[in-house]
Amino acid sequence: MVIDDRILRKGDVGTTGRPDSDAIIRVRGLKTQFGHAVIHEDLDLDLRSGEILGVVGGSGTGKSVLMRAIIGLKRPSAGSVSVFGQDFYAASENQRIEIERRWGVLFQGGALFSSLTVAQNVMAPIREHLGMPDALARDIAAMKISMSGLPPEAGDKYPSELSGGMRKRAGLARALALDPEIVFLDEPTAGLDPIGAAQFDQLIVDLKTSLGLTVFMITHDLDSLYAACDRVAVLAEKHVIAVGPLSEVAETDHAWTRSYFSGPRGRAARASALG
Amino acid sequence: MNAATFHVDMVDDVLRLNIEGDWRARFLARIDHDIRDFEEDSVGRELIIDLSKLERMDTAGALVIQRVMSSCASRTDRSTFTGASDAQMALLEHVRPHLAPCPVEPARGNPFIMLLVRLGVGARDVYFAAIDILNFIGVVVRTFIRAVAEPRRFRLTSIVSHMESAGLDAVPIVATMSFLVGAVVAYMGAKSLATFGAEIFTVELVSLAVLREFGVLLAAILLAGRSGSAFTAQIGSMKLREEIDALRVTGLDPIEVLVLPRTIALIVMLPVLAFIGAMMGLLGGIIVSWGALDISPTLFIARMKEAIVLSNFWAGIIKAPFFAFIISVVGCFQGMSVEGSAESLGQRTTLSVVQSLFLVIFIDSFFAMFYLEIDF
């Protein structure tokens, strides 16, 4: 593939089977399909420790499916996903639970448990996995809620009483409940107003620096890419066509990346990021 | 790796808390009680927290350490952290603004008052629910009348589809159940009537019970469990995903689009199911009578023709449309009443089945009394 070679020659990236010592998630030769519809074929991707990786691609290119394949919700029909050096789909039940404790996931709509309050939502994984005394679990939940930028009053609200932005923050608080090493974010800024979206980007960068998080972020939001991401992976034609720092990926000679990064929104986002 | 531990000593009249080991969330449960005791005992004292033997820490550990510091230490220069690495210090600083507790669940008042409040709210809800459902029935009837005036408002495709899923698909289970109940009635009748040498009256017993009551009642009970609950779940999840609102703003009437086709489908199909149920019940009775009592099918049918008039059959079937209406309206009403959470959907589905079963049996007993009075 011409495009891959171009990026690879710049010496940055591993979209091939090259060893990448920093990678804590390594996807190799991934193939996923629904019935006869193949979503990904021969897809390689690395997530390196301590980075924020932005995953972009047009609608229907399987960004969310890729995330679901990595976190074990959609079993790939071929290829491997290794997490912390362990093949996730070959791991035993206990090993998987051990891995799942080390990551947190923010789903697109927040996916909060609708019959629990925000604080109870955040406490759920803490109680389930750590068997903590209630008082301590409450303290930790309050901290996570505050860290996610929600006011303390949000604690006893039910998800149906929250705005979209607050729901995302509450979802993030729950994703962070167990101090995960990796956080998966599925379109965290979609549906937020520009100010809220910018704050959310900043929040993620702050959490990454202070907690040493590794972030896998699916996004459509060009501003998020410029503001938050260390590397960007572009999904098209069933695999990752380019991955690397934003400046390099934006230069890739592919119809989709060109129109994405050089379209009016792309130029505006770049201008505001540089200016 | 050591689990989280701590010990306390005094250095130069200052309390010193030595933090040791691995202070990550999973190890904190064991020391939580002790550290809280320490916190209580040393409120307002000068405190040095020594982190030099701290191996690992996450935000939960940092939270506990910061909490101890903020609740114990009097704010003098001597209260401080020592021996912390830069990274540990950064993490401690990071959690410091986030120590404020937050409410976990909505406040509850005095339990006795709450009991009274619940009682009052419950009574009020029964009252309003009764008004709401009457209101809903009115709206459904009005929509029906409007549709009669303008027949294209009947959505034929939707009606037929519901007739299939609620009616046709229920035939095997209704048939099997009715057959078994018919057989059981015949068997029990045969045993007790045999003591009087009146086995032949099994024919009357079976045909009366099956034609007047069991055929239609079993079909209705099955429909309430099978379709009433499905209506609530379908409409309820549409409500949760704002599909009902989408219908309204598109200028479509949810009652006309969702409720009317389901109701009509049930009204058409329940009599059919009741008929099938009655026939299968009779078949069950005939087979048991033949096997256990030597009443041949020909004799059974001849005696049935003689003793049981057709009115018994009608007395059963007439009830079917009423049951169907109640089941559908209650199911759809509960679906429309779903609000907010998945829990509400579950409650409403339960309510839907309980209420429609209750109403079906209530109406059935009303019919029984009514028939008795008019000698039907």
Side-chain angles (χ1 to χ4, degrees), chain A residues 39 44 61 68 95 97 109 117 144 170 174 217 238 250:
Chain A
I39 311 293
D44 295 344
T61 49
R68 294 173 68 86
Q95 286 170 323
I97 292 173
T117 63
K144 303 291 176 183
R174 189 180 67 187
M217 176 162 75
K238 297 176 187 168

Side-chain angles (χ1 to χ4, degrees), chain B residues 16-21 48-57 61-62 65-66 69 80-94:
Chain B
R16 177 186 279 259
L17 178 68
N18 298 283
I19 303 284
E20 287 164 20
I48 291 176
I49 298 184
D50 185 349
L51 301 171
S52 50
K53 289 193 185 131
L54 176 61
E55 285 161 20
R56 298 183 72 174
M57 170 173 76
I65 294 168
Q66 274 289 11
M69 182 55 109
T80 178
F81 295 104
T82 65
S85 70
D86 288 348
Q88 286 169 345
M89 217 45 232
L91 191 57
L92 285 169
E93 280 308 306
H94 182 75

Side-chain angles (χ1 to χ4, degrees), chain B residues 149-205:
Chain B
E150 200 182 343
R152 66 171 186 86
R153 286 179 183 274
F154 288 117
R155 284 151 206 277
L156 198 62
T157 330
S158 176
I159 293 177
V160 172
S161 144
H162 286 298
M163 281 168 65
E164 186 190 343
S165 64
L168 204 58
D169 294 352
V171 166
I173 182 77
V174 168
T176 317
M177 270 179 47
S178 304
F179 177 84
L180 292 176
V181 169
V184 169
V185 170
Y187 203 75
M188 279 172 33
K191 279 198 99 174
S192 37
L193 290 172
T195 37
F196 311 109
E199 294 100 321
I200 193 67
F201 284 98
T202 308
V203 178
E204 275 88 346
L205 180 71

Side-chain angles (χ1 to χ4, degrees), chain A residues 26-47:
Chain A
R26 185 171 296 153
V27 180
R28 287 291 175 271
L30 184 81
K31 181 179 184 186
T32 55
Q33 56 194 112
F34 292 100
H36 291 296
V38 176
I39 311 293
H40 304 121
E41 192 143 36
D42 204 17
L43 182 148
D44 295 344
L45 185 66
D46 284 325
L47 180 65

Side-chain angles (χ1 to χ4, degrees), chain A residues 14-271:
Chain A
T15 49
T16 60
R18 267 203 247 158
D20 187 337
S21 53
D22 282 346
I24 52 175
I25 289 184
R26 185 171 296 153
V27 180
R28 287 291 175 271
L30 184 81
K31 181 179 184 186
T32 55
Q33 56 194 112
F34 292 100
H36 291 296
V38 176
I39 311 293
H40 304 121
E41 192 143 36
D42 204 17
L43 182 148
D44 295 344
L45 185 66
D46 284 325
L47 180 65
R48 296 174 183 170
S49 182
E51 73 171 351
I52 300 183
L53 175 71
V55 177
V56 299
S59 291
T61 49
K63 302 184 292 294
S64 297
V65 178
L66 173 61
M67 184 181 104
R68 294 173 68 86
I70 296 174
I71 60 181
L73 295 174
K74 164 79 187 146
R75 182 175 274 277
S77 43
S80 69
V81 174
S82 70
V83 186
F84 306 118
Q86 214 166 28
D87 187 338
F88 186 75
Y89 284 95
S92 70
E93 184 76 24
N94 284 338
Q95 286 170 323
R96 272 198 208 191
I97 292 173
E98 205 45 50
I99 291 174
E100 280 160 1
R101 271 166 64 151
R102 294 168 70 180
W103 68 39
V105 183
L106 169 60
F107 288 97
Q108 224 173 83
L112 296 167
F113 306 125
S114 56
S115 52
L116 302 179
T117 63
V118 169
Q120 286 169 337
N121 260 285
V122 180
M123 285 163 72
I126 300 176
R127 277 196 180 137
E128 200 55 41
H129 281 302
L130 302 177
M132 269 193 185
D134 220 42
L136 183 55
R138 275 163 195 256
D139 284 351
I140 295 176
M143 171 178 68
K144 303 291 176 183
I145 288 168
S146 165
M147 276 184 179
S148 312
L150 286 171
E153 308 88 79
D156 62 355
K157 295 242 166 50
Y158 285 93
S160 55
E161 302 169 321
L162 299 179
S163 71
M166 290 172 86
R167 233 176 277 174
K168 297 230 162 163
R169 286 175 187 273
L172 182 67
R174 189 180 67 187
L176 294 175
L178 295 176
D179 269 304
E181 291 158 57
I182 311 173
V183 181
F184 293 88
L185 308 171
D186 192 354
E187 305 212 13
T189 56
L192 300 189
D193 65 276
I195 300 168
Q199 285 170 346
F200 206 93
D201 290 337
Q202 192 54 48
L203 174 66
I204 289 167
V205 174
D206 285 348
L207 290 174
K208 177 206 143 189
T209 14
S210 54
L211 307 179
L213 287 178
T214 304
V215 181
F216 178 100
M217 176 162 75
I218 295 172
T219 186
H220 277 301
D221 189 340
L222 282 149
D223 292 312
S224 290
L225 288 183
Y226 280 100
C229 295
D230 301 312
R231 289 198 311 150
V232 176
V234 182
L235 227 61
E237 295 159 7
K238 297 176 187 168
H239 60 278
V240 177
I241 57 163
V243 55
L246 188 59
S247 53
E248 288 175 21
V249 170
E251 298 300 315
T252 316
D253 193 22
H254 183 276
W256 193 82
T257 42
R258 236 186 346 230
S259 57
Y260 184 67
F261 290 105
S262 311
R265 283 159 175 267
R267 287 201 304 272
R270 176 186 293 195

Side-chain angles (χ1 to χ4, degrees), chain B residues 76-270:
Chain B
T76 62
D77 302 344
R78 298 214 291 179
S79 289
T80 178
F81 295 104
T82 65
S85 70
D86 288 348
Q88 286 169 345
M89 217 45 232
L91 191 57
L92 285 169
E93 280 308 306
H94 182 75
V95 301
R96 200 156 64 106
H98 305 298
L99 292 180
C102 79
V104 171
E105 48 203 326
R108 296 226 175 90
N110 177 321
F112 179 68
I113 293 176
M114 288 312 291
L115 186 74
L116 291 181
V117 168
R118 276 185 63 177
L119 203 64
V121 168
R124 189 197 60 186
D125 285 352
V126 169
Y127 173 70
F128 282 117
I131 290 182
D132 283 348
I133 197 151
L134 285 176
N135 188 17
F136 190 78
I137 290 175
V139 173
V140 173
V141 171
R142 189 190 62 190
T143 314
F144 177 78
I145 292 170
R146 212 186 286 157
V148 171
E150 200 182 343
R152 66 171 186 86
R153 286 179 183 274
F154 288 117
R155 284 151 206 277
L156 198 62
T157 330
S158 176
I159 293 177
V160 172
S161 144
H162 286 298
M163 281 168 65
E164 186 190 343
S165 64
L168 204 58
D169 294 352
V171 166
I173 182 77
V174 168
T176 317
M177 270 179 47
S178 304
F179 177 84
L180 292 176
V181 169
V184 169
V185 170
Y187 203 75
M188 279 172 33
K191 279 198 99 174
S192 37
L193 290 172
T195 37
F196 311 109
E199 294 100 321
I200 193 67
F201 284 98
T202 308
V203 178
E204 275 88 346
L205 180 71
V206 170
S207 5
L208 254 174
V210 164
L211 289 179
R212 280 190 90 106
E213 292 292 342
F214 286 133
V216 63
L217 207 56
L218 280 176
I221 287 170
L222 230 114
L223 216 62
R226 213 177 157 273
S227 304
S229 57
F231 291 174
T232 308
Q234 287 161 358
I235 295 178
S237 60
M238 287 180 78
K239 182 104 192 286
L240 287 180
R241 284 183 295 177
E242 297 181 322
E243 288 175 50
I244 307 280
D245 297 336
L247 278 177
R248 274 212 181 95
V249 297
T250 327
L252 294 166
D253 177 5
I255 305 289
E256 182 189 311
V257 178
L258 300 173
V259 181
L260 210 54
R262 286 175 167 79
T263 308
I264 293 173
L266 284 203
I267 290 178
V268 174
M269 289 314 286
L270 187 54

